[in-house]
Every structure is written in C-alpha cells, then in structure tokens.
Amino acid sequence: MLVLFGALFAAIIYRWISLERLQRLAPTEIPVAPIPVPTPTRPPVITGKLDTAKLFNGITLHSTVETLSGADAATERTQPDSYALDLRLQARVPSPNKTIEELAKITPQLPVLLPGLGSMFSPDSVSPLYAQLYDSKVKILRENLARLDVLLSRHNFFDCQTVLQLQHPQSHRKALVLQADMDVDADGSDGDRMSIGTGAPANFKPFTSYRWPKKTPAPSPYLAGTEDKLKHAEEEYALATTTPVRKRDLRNIIAELRAEVATLKKYSFLIGATDPFIVVPGTFTHASEPVKVGDYALVIFGDSIYPAIVGDVGPNDKVGEASLRIAKQINALSTPYNRPVSDLKVTYLIFPGTVDKPPGAPDLEKLQARCETLVKEIGGASVPLHHWENIIPPSPTPTPTSIPLSSPSPTQSALSNGLTPAASPSPTFAFPVATPSATTSPRSTPRRSSSPASAHAAVKKRKP
C-alpha cells in the first residue's frame, strides 16, 4: 500500500511539473470578445380581424388560391416564390364627355342655365388636363400598390366626368369647365377680419393658397396654438433623452412650424367657413394655359349659379372641392367631414387669366359684379347669380363717451358713494361649426404639398 501510494503521489507531482513547463513555453493568449448571438426576430403579424373588402376601399376583389406540387417543406421554406401573393389592379380609365348633350345627361339644367355654353364647344374641346389628371391617378396607384390601405378608393378614382377648354366665338372669352363631385375645404384664417377660429377639423391648416399681406396687428386665431406646438417641439429636441431618430423627425417638424408661424404673422388667408372659393389640382396651375389662384369662377349645381374664386390648390390626383361656405349653401348638412354632393353633378366653370392684382381680402360685391360681367361674355345666364351675404361678425369697436368736466363720471360717483360699479359687457362672437356626423363617408387623404399655404383640411384632399 505504501508503494502504491508513493507511486500515485509521484505521478501527480510529475504531471504538475509538466503542465507548468508547457504554460511557460506556450504563447500568451489574446482574449477574444464574445461574438454576440443575434436575437431571433419574429415576422410582423396582423392582429385582429382584417376585412379585406374594407381594406380595398370599394375595389372589386377577385381572389383565388392556386396550389402546385413542390419539394420538401424545408426546401420550399427558403424559396421566395414558393409562397407568394400576386397583386394586379385593373382600372378602366374613363372617357371624358365631349359635347353639351353628354354634359346634359348628367346635369340637365346646364344648357338652360347657360344658353350660350353650347356654342363654345369644338371637336378638340377636351383639355389635356383631363389626361394629366388620370395619369396622376394611375401613377399614385402604382406607387401605393404595396400599401393597400392608402389606395385611391373607387369614389376618388372616378371623381371627374370631364375637363373642357372652351372659348366663346364672339367675345373670345375662355373658360375651363369640369364636372365632378364636391368635397369640402374648411381651411384658412384671417385675424384682420375674424379674430376667432371656425374650428379645427382633422388635417386643418390655417392657410389657403390665396393670400395677401396682413393689414392690422390682429393675430391669426391659430397663431398661439402653432407657436405652442413649436415650443414643445423645440423643448423635446433639447432633451438629452431624445433619440437621434426622433431628433431627425423633430428637425423637420420644427422647420415646418417655424415657417407656419412666420406665414401666419405676415399674411391673411381666405376662410373656408365664410368665403366662397373652389380648389383645383396642382397640375391645373402648371398647364400651358394655367389656372391661377385668384381666377374668378362659377359653381353650378341644380338650378343655381354661385360666384366664386379659385382659392386653394390640392393634390394632382383628385378634383372636385369647394369651401365650406359653398358646400353649406348647397347642402345644409355639409361639414368638413361630410361632402354635399357625391355624384358627378357639379359643374365648375373657371375663367383663366381673370385674377386681380394685387390680391386682397374678399369683396363679395366686387365678386358678384365681376362674375356677372364674365357670364355675359359667354352668352349670359337664364337666372340671376346667387348673391353672397357677408356673414363675418363685425369687429368690436369701442363706443366713445363724453364726460362733462363739471360733474363726476358715473363710475366716480359710484365709488364715492361706496358702491361697486357694474362690469361693462364684453363683446362675444360665435360662428357655428357643425359637429361631424357619425355616418359620414370621409375620403382617403393624400398627401399634400409641403407648402403651408397649399395644405388641406378637406377629407378628400387632405388627408395624410
């Protein structure tokens, strides 16, 4: 036992000495940082119930599932084409109406209201703007085909019956005629004329494309709110906890808000709730014979003709929009969320090249007289043009009071008798804005121009 124990002890000592020698001869090991193991990610899942019919927003959907024989599951899982969805949107581009008879099928009163309109038609009356409008629609469809939730709805794709460029044979007065539906533009503000706001529906902007320099120091009713948004954005940007990605977004937001603040301080704009104006697509303002903001126009619906001006510019792929003032005159139930006319029964007649310079605050009497003159140059109208009343509440003006020098004022007398003078009534203003209806059918909202003056609150134009 002693011999075995001694042999085991000697073996242990020998092994220890051998390891010590090997460690001295071996090169120094460089520590290697552990390689991070990527955290497995899960593909995004669609939660809840997804109604495909609602997602496609009025697009007729034909769906089939085709199966083919394949390799084993492990192999097919790695093949991109083994499990694929092919999207093919088929859209028929409509043909424009070209004659007064075709227009009368949609709006029978039109030839009666404007008896000289028929003489203005020619074989090439269809404006190139019609093709440009539908080219823009198709382009947007292609760009958004992977975003099924923002595709143009059926209603918005077929929102224009025709665009015609006409000229009267005697007076040579030109007119651009389009037939469409009518959505609502509730944008705009003017502190000089109206010191309170008319509401701020979704996507509201206190600007319109038609603007003019302010005349008084009265601020826009939306200036304080915009400055408050700017302050909060700048404070968030300055926080140390704000991420770089968020700061990048905030830089764009701050730049836009600063531009809006500067614009609100410098200019006044049309007010959608009080001023009669229409909206045209952006492409209309860049044509060979462009429509200009401020051009005089007519809105024809039913048995009435409404004077208006071109007051705002919308997206290139949608047409048919007027101010809330016109919309409520046509349909009292109209709101920023509820269009007055869904059918293509509204005729917009624009007189290119009639804009007044320099631009200024709306003068409804001048608008009336100017449109009546222009109507006479295209053959006249069988009914009087609608007369717009000024519905903007008057600004409060202090009433001067003469105080005799020989006798104290009523206030002084009250104070001297130990009485508390009655508080003088302060003027109040109210401009009703209808509450959005739960049964309205808002349109998809596009995108809008980055210019503050061309942003829209209308559900059709606005949108995000």
Side-chain angles (χ1 to χ4, degrees):
M1 290 294 293
L2 291 174
V3 173
L4 290 175
F5 178 78
L8 180 61
F9 181 77
I12 294 173
I13 295 298
Y14 179 78
R15 178 63 177 169
W16 177 76
I17 294 173
S18 300
L19 291 175
E20 286 291 327
R21 289 177 178 178
L22 288 173
Q23 288 179 358
R24 291 173 183 173
L25 296 176
T28 304
E29 293 183 1
I30 300 175
V32 179
I35 300 175
V37 179
T39 303
T41 58
R42 299 179 60 186
V45 295
I46 300 176
T47 59
K49 295 182 179 180
L50 184 63
D51 190 333
T52 307
K54 292 182 179 179
L55 177 65
F56 280 87
N57 201 5
I59 301 174
T60 302
L61 179 64
H62 303 287
S63 59
T64 59
V65 177
E66 297 180 358
T67 58
L68 301 172
S69 298
D72 59 279
T75 301
E76 293 296 352
R77 176 180 284 185
T78 62
Q79 304 300 313
D81 294 334
S82 63
Y83 195 72
L85 173 65
D86 295 326
L87 287 177
R88 184 176 68 92
L89 176 60
Q90 179 178 334
R92 296 180 184 174
V93 177
S95 301
N97 284 351
K98 302 177 181 179
T99 66
I100 188 66
E101 291 78 18
E102 290 177 337
L103 267 63
K105 292 179 180 179
I106 303 296
T107 54
Q109 305 93 330
L110 185 60
V112 178
L113 294 174
L114 298 175
L117 193 63
S119 65
M120 300 174 65
F121 282 76
S122 65
D124 57 348
S125 291
V126 177
S127 171
L129 293 173
Y130 183 84
Q132 293 178 22
L133 173 66
Y134 273 92
D135 286 345
S136 297
K137 292 177 182 289
V138 173
K139 179 182 178 182
I140 295 297
L141 287 178
R142 288 172 176 157
E143 291 176 352
N144 293 335
L145 190 55
R147 286 288 312 276
L148 303 180
D149 56 324
V150 296
L151 280 181
L152 279 174
S153 66
R154 176 188 294 270
H155 187 103
N156 278 357
F157 187 77
F158 299 105
D159 64 358
C160 183
Q161 189 76 2
T162 191
V163 181
L164 303 169
Q165 51 186 13
L166 307 178
Q167 185 173 9
H168 196 270
Q170 280 78 43
S171 67
H172 303 291
R173 170 59 65 188
K174 294 183 178 180
L176 187 73
V177 176
L178 56 135
Q179 276 190 326
D181 56 5
M182 181 181 287
D183 281 333
V184 180
D185 185 350
D187 287 349
S189 65
D190 181 5
D192 293 350
R193 294 184 295 146
M194 197 167 186
S195 59
I196 62 172
T198 57
N203 300 311
F204 171 85
K205 285 291 184 181
F207 319 100
T208 58
S209 300
Y210 186 86
R211 66 184 187 181
W212 60 94
K214 285 182 61 61
K215 305 299 182 183
T216 75
S220 165
Y222 301 97
L223 176 60
T226 307
E227 289 178 326
D228 189 55
K229 292 179 183 178
L230 174 60
K231 179 182 177 182
H232 287 301
E234 291 175 336
E235 290 175 348
E236 183 181 356
Y237 184 84
L239 293 176
T241 55
T242 305
T243 64
V245 175
R246 177 58 179 165
K247 283 195 172 187
R248 181 191 62 194
D249 295 337
L250 284 172
R251 280 195 293 269
N252 297 331
I253 294 173
I254 290 171
E256 181 179 351
L257 288 174
R258 285 175 178 171
E260 291 184 4
V261 168
T263 303
L264 286 174
K265 289 181 177 179
K266 186 176 181 181
Y267 294 103
S268 291
F269 307 89
L270 297 174
I271 305 173
T274 63
D275 298 328
F277 64 86
I278 65 172
V279 184
V280 297
T283 51
F284 284 32
T285 64
H286 299 96
S288 57
E289 294 184 3
V291 173
K292 294 184 179 180
V293 174
D295 279 340
Y296 287 91
L298 303 174
V299 177
I300 304 154
F301 179 75
D303 296 322
S304 301
I305 304 176
Y306 303 93
I309 65 168
V310 177
D312 219 343
V313 176
N316 295 334
D317 60 325
K318 295 174 185 175
V319 74
E321 187 174 7
S323 65
L324 181 60
R325 178 71 191 275
I326 296 178
K328 293 187 84 63
Q329 184 64 41
I330 290 177
N331 185 341
L333 299 179
S334 301
T335 71
Y337 305 92
N338 188 27
R339 68 179 69 92
V341 184
S342 292
D343 297 326
L344 307 179
K345 294 184 177 182
V346 183
T347 301
Y348 303 85
L349 192 151
I350 303 168
F351 299 101
T354 58
V355 58
D356 291 328
K357 296 181 180 180
D363 183 336
L364 296 181
E365 296 302 324
K366 179 181 178 181
L367 171 66
Q368 183 84 19
R370 190 77 174 98
C371 286
E372 287 176 351
T373 300
L374 292 169
V375 167
K376 291 178 181 177
E377 295 179 4
I378 61 170
S382 61
V383 297
L385 272 59
H386 176 80
H387 184 268
W388 295 108
E389 298 289 344
N390 184 11
I391 61 174
I392 296 180
S395 300
T397 54
T399 303
T401 57
S402 59
I403 301 176
L405 296 177
S406 59
S407 61
S409 67
T411 301
Q412 292 173 335
S413 299
L415 291 175
S416 64
N417 295 327
L419 302 177
T420 302
S424 59
S426 58
T428 57
F429 301 94
F431 192 89
V433 176
T435 303
S437 172
T439 60
T440 56
S441 55
R443 293 195 175 192
S444 59
T445 42
R447 70 355 179 171
R448 251 189 160 261
S449 168
S450 59
S451 169
S454 61
H456 283 71
V459 178
K460 171 181 177 180
K461 312 300 184 190
R462 10 275 112 347
K463 82 262 234 329

